[in-house]
Amino acid sequence: MKTGDNLESWARPRTVVLLTMVLLGALWTAVLLSAVADREDTLTATGQALQRANRAIEEQTRLHMRLAGLALAAAQAWPDEHPGEDPRSNAAFHALHARLRTATDSAVEILLLAADGNVFAAAGGEPQAEIAAALAASDLNDLARQSQTTELVIGTPLRTPAAAHPRLPIARRLENPGAGGYIVLALLDLSRLNAGYEEQRQKPGGSIALLRRDGTPLAGAPVDAQLGLAQSDQRTKDDDLTDASKATRTSSVLTNDGATSEFSLQSPMPDYRLLIVGTVDRADALAPWLRHTIWVVLLALGMTIPLAVVAYRSLHLLRVVARHEAELQHLATTDRLTGTFTRQHFVEILKEELAHAGRRHLPLTVLSFDIDFFKRINDGYGHSVGDQVLIAFAKVAKACLRDVDVLGRVSSGEFSILLPNTDVQAATVVAERIRRGVAAISIATEDGTVQFTVSAGVSAARPDDRSVDEIIKRVAQALHEATSAGHDRISIV
């Protein structure tokens, strides 16, 4: 392939645009895949962080529940051992309560819940009207009395004016109820749980909430997160938390229902019928991924824009080079005056067509025309008129030829014509048509009208031709015979 053809193929808009699109497509596909993979990694890391926080919260919660359970068990042991005595008025029971309060660092307070709904302090037996009123609005009394097991029964957090912090009521039925059928009640200071939750939550916008199986919020951080997450456990059926055979941890999955701006992770505690829900703000969780993606996109844009500019400039440059190459090729193969091929290019085409005709066994004929007395026209009328004569001949000859025929100017006033797939008889008809057309030309000048004639030689390719020179010599011989015989005629060799 020639250099010009190479340049033209690369300078085609389709080639340059396609190559540019492939590169940009590969670049932005890599950016998209990287963004998707990074987002998945970010969500995975977020889920793992929430899972670690939930596990830490679960350990803290379980520790406080065990502490409350141990305090209840110890408080219950006294009436079990003294079935005939009222714990409200017994000094030994009061002393036991004081030791339990000290052992739990005041995190757990023991009370006595009577069958009539009254509440009494374990230390001194004084009535606790505020707590009784708060308990009356909760479901702890009914839950405790309906319980047939030794499981802890957790009520609704109590908020009383006398207490600085809300407290969580936890109860269990006495196996041997004493006087009045008391239920031992523990109040767990929720500020201890909330403080631990605050340390573990994902900051700044994350939250942690402890929920009962029915969706009742018990504790959380920040405190207002309890209300916001009160409905989160509705996705978990009660059966999943109450089935005693499912006391082990279930797998936790990071979720986002699209209605909120948070990701959440649920960790059930079936043995206590509780649910821990940790959340992280969606914007906070995806902020590192978003920053990284923005930088990647900016980098890709930084590569896309220069690449597009380079592609545009390259396309423009290749087109200019190809155009100049085509112009140079045209100048090298075309006669400027007549627009016909030069002698050198005509001979090259003749070689190719001669070889093609030999392979295919096709006829091929060459015509040679000489403008009669062309030197006299130049000398008598001037070279400008001579140029008009050459142009007029080329115009007449082109009008008589097919698209596959080749016309070339081989010397000052001489032209040659290549007629592929044409025998001598048909070629002679073409030559005669051109001769008559030239004879009808009239060129007006200052010195009068100029008319001229042409002589023509005709020769066909032969099977024994070894080179293009042989047919050229025969055509030249035929043309010489035509001019020697008196001009304005056609000779065949």
Side-chain angles (χ1 to χ4, degrees):
M1 184 177 289
K2 298 179 181 179
T3 303
D5 295 336
N6 282 324
L7 288 174
E8 287 182 8
S9 63
W10 280 103
R12 292 173 183 170
R14 177 184 296 180
T15 303
V16 176
V17 171
L18 180 61
L19 181 60
T20 303
M21 293 301 294
V22 168
L23 294 176
L24 291 179
L27 172 63
W28 285 101
T29 298
V31 170
L32 178 61
L33 293 178
S34 174
V36 172
D38 288 346
R39 189 177 187 276
E40 291 300 319
D41 292 342
T42 300
L43 293 180
T44 299
T46 300
Q48 292 174 347
L50 279 176
Q51 193 170 44
R52 290 192 296 269
N54 281 14
R55 287 178 179 175
I57 290 300
E58 181 179 343
E59 292 302 321
Q60 294 180 19
T61 304
R62 197 176 298 277
L63 177 63
H64 284 81
M65 292 300 169
R66 288 174 180 171
L67 187 64
L70 290 174
L72 285 173
Q76 180 181 337
W78 191 93
D80 289 345
E81 296 174 359
H82 306 81
E85 300 185 30
D86 186 353
R88 290 169 48 193
S89 59
N90 190 283
F93 185 77
H94 299 167
L96 174 62
H97 170 265
R99 290 194 298 270
L100 290 176
R101 187 174 178 83
T102 301
T104 61
D105 193 22
S106 300
V108 178
E109 181 181 359
I110 300 298
L111 299 174
L112 295 173
L113 175 61
D116 58 4
N118 291 319
V119 179
F120 303 93
E126 296 84 357
Q128 304 292 317
E130 292 181 353
I131 297 177
L135 282 175
S138 71
D139 55 359
L140 180 65
N141 197 347
D142 294 336
L143 291 174
R145 294 188 181 280
Q146 293 171 7
S147 176
Q148 301 300 318
T149 69
T150 59
E151 291 181 349
L152 296 182
V153 179
I154 301 173
T156 304
L158 304 180
R159 292 171 174 81
T160 58
H165 306 288
R167 291 174 291 179
L168 183 65
I170 304 173
R172 62 194 305 174
R173 176 186 290 276
L174 291 175
E175 294 182 0
N176 298 306
Y182 298 114
I183 293 176
V184 178
L185 174 69
L187 294 183
L188 177 62
D189 188 353
L190 287 178
S191 65
R192 308 293 183 93
L193 283 177
N194 291 339
Y197 291 3
E198 179 63 29
E199 293 180 1
Q200 295 296 333
R201 75 180 179 91
Q202 301 293 308
K203 298 176 177 62
S207 64
I208 293 177
L210 178 66
L211 308 177
R212 207 167 59 185
R213 68 178 186 181
D214 59 359
T216 302
L218 304 180
V223 176
D224 57 0
Q226 301 176 39
L227 296 177
L229 292 173
Q231 303 302 322
S232 297
D233 71 328
Q234 295 305 312
R235 304 174 200 157
T236 304
K237 298 181 180 179
D238 288 350
D239 293 343
D240 293 335
L241 296 178
T242 58
D243 190 347
S245 65
K246 298 180 180 178
T248 58
R249 177 198 305 274
T250 60
S251 59
S252 301
V253 179
L254 184 68
T255 60
N256 176 246
D257 58 10
T260 65
S261 60
E262 297 175 330
F263 291 114
S264 64
L265 186 71
Q266 299 183 16
S267 300
M269 296 175 61
D271 49 345
Y272 290 104
R273 301 180 183 179
L274 299 175
L275 181 70
I276 297 173
V277 180
T279 72
V280 61
D281 186 77
R282 182 186 180 94
D284 292 341
L286 295 179
W289 166 78
L290 183 60
R291 287 193 297 268
H292 180 263
T293 301
I294 289 175
W295 279 110
V296 171
V297 170
L298 290 177
L299 178 61
L301 286 175
M303 297 175 64
T304 298
I305 295 175
L307 183 60
V309 172
V310 169
Y312 174 79
R313 296 295 299 171
S314 299
L315 178 61
H316 177 72
L317 178 61
L318 288 173
R319 284 177 171 172
V320 171
V321 173
R323 185 171 63 252
H324 289 173
E325 181 72 15
E327 291 175 356
L328 291 176
Q329 183 72 13
H330 178 76
L331 291 175
T333 60
T334 307
D335 177 62
R336 288 188 179 183
L337 180 63
T338 62
T340 61
F341 289 125
T342 62
R343 174 183 175 82
Q344 181 180 1
H345 192 58
F346 179 85
V347 172
E348 291 178 357
I349 297 176
L350 177 58
K351 289 180 181 179
E352 295 176 359
E353 291 295 332
L354 187 62
H356 177 74
R359 289 192 303 269
R360 298 293 181 89
H361 304 288
L362 298 175
L364 183 147
T365 304
V366 177
L367 310 179
S368 186
F369 289 88
D370 184 52
I371 298 176
D372 297 330
F373 310 109
F374 181 66
K375 187 176 183 304
R376 293 181 185 179
I377 296 175
N378 273 335
D379 294 342
Y381 293 94
H383 287 281
S384 61
V385 176
D387 290 344
Q388 293 181 52
V389 169
L390 295 174
I391 294 172
F393 171 83
K395 183 178 181 180
V396 170
K398 290 178 181 178
C400 298
L401 299 179
R402 303 167 299 178
D403 292 338
V404 297
D405 300 333
V406 180
L407 172 63
R409 182 185 177 190
V410 296
S411 67
S412 177
E414 185 178 345
F415 293 84
S416 291
I417 298 176
L418 171 63
L419 302 176
N421 197 21
T422 305
D423 57 17
V424 172
Q425 184 178 359
T428 303
V429 174
V430 174
E432 179 63 20
R433 189 182 304 127
I434 294 174
R435 189 191 68 80
R436 291 181 180 180
V438 170
I441 296 174
S442 296
I443 300 175
T445 68
E446 295 179 355
D447 298 324
T449 301
V450 175
Q451 291 183 310
F452 61 96
T453 60
V454 292
S455 300
V458 181
S459 181
R462 298 174 181 174
D464 58 347
D465 285 341
R466 297 182 179 179
S467 67
V468 69
D469 293 335
E470 295 184 9
I471 189 173
I472 290 177
K473 287 180 181 180
R474 289 199 302 272
V475 173
Q477 180 184 350
L479 179 60
H480 178 70
E481 292 178 358
T483 56
S484 298
H487 302 284
D488 192 20
R489 63 191 64 227
I490 300 171
S491 177
I492 303 173
V493 174

